[in-house]
Amino acid sequence: MRLVFQPQRDLATRALVGAEALLRWRSRRLGREVGPDELFPAAAEARLLPAIDDWVMTEAVRRLAAWANEPAAPAMLSINLSVASLRDPGVADTL
């Protein structure tokens, strides 16, 4: 699994205002990129969403920290989490 970062721009000025962290997975067994429409239902069925969410949060925040001193870096980073993680009262503390 890996994260890719989609830029978010101000429509009027085209200035970079943020980025969205998107999870991607290339399956060696399938020989292709597995889309979110397949990945997330399978991960939910296998009860892997909490572990995936933890990994996504860790990696996204790590990347944001690495960008801290880069002038062209996005000022804000959006992270998508599962509903289960969002319902967890400890998710804010984890972030």
Side-chain angles (χ1 to χ4, degrees), residues 2-3 6-7 11-13 19-20 28-29 34-36 38-39 43 46 49 54 56 61 69 72 77 79 88 93:
R2 63 189 169 89
L3 291 179
Q6 179 173 311
L11 289 176
T13 66
E20 180 178 8
R28 288 186 202 143
R29 186 174 60 82
V34 177
E38 291 179 84
L39 173 59
L49 285 177
D54 285 345
V56 167
V61 170
N69 295 321
L77 183 61
I79 305 169
D88 178 350
D93 291 335

Side-chain angles (χ1 to χ4, degrees), residues 12 15 21 39-40 53 80 92:
L39 173 59
F40 291 105
D53 284 348
N80 297 314

Side-chain angles (χ1 to χ4, degrees), residues 6-76:
Q6 179 173 311
Q8 297 171 326
R9 298 195 176 274
D10 180 290
L11 289 176
T13 66
R14 303 289 300 149
L16 182 67
V17 294
E20 180 178 8
L22 302 170
L23 182 65
R24 296 293 182 255
W25 176 48
R26 179 157 182 83
S27 170
R28 288 186 202 143
R29 186 174 60 82
L30 297 174
R32 64 178 173 84
E33 185 118 333
V34 177
D37 58 323
E38 291 179 84
L39 173 59
F40 291 105
E45 185 176 319
R47 296 193 166 112
L48 292 173
L49 285 177
I52 290 171
D53 284 348
D54 285 345
W55 182 85
V56 167
M57 284 189 280
T58 299
E59 290 302 310
V61 170
R62 182 177 294 151
R63 181 68 63 95
L64 188 60
W67 290 337
N69 295 321
E70 294 184 28
M76 177 179 56

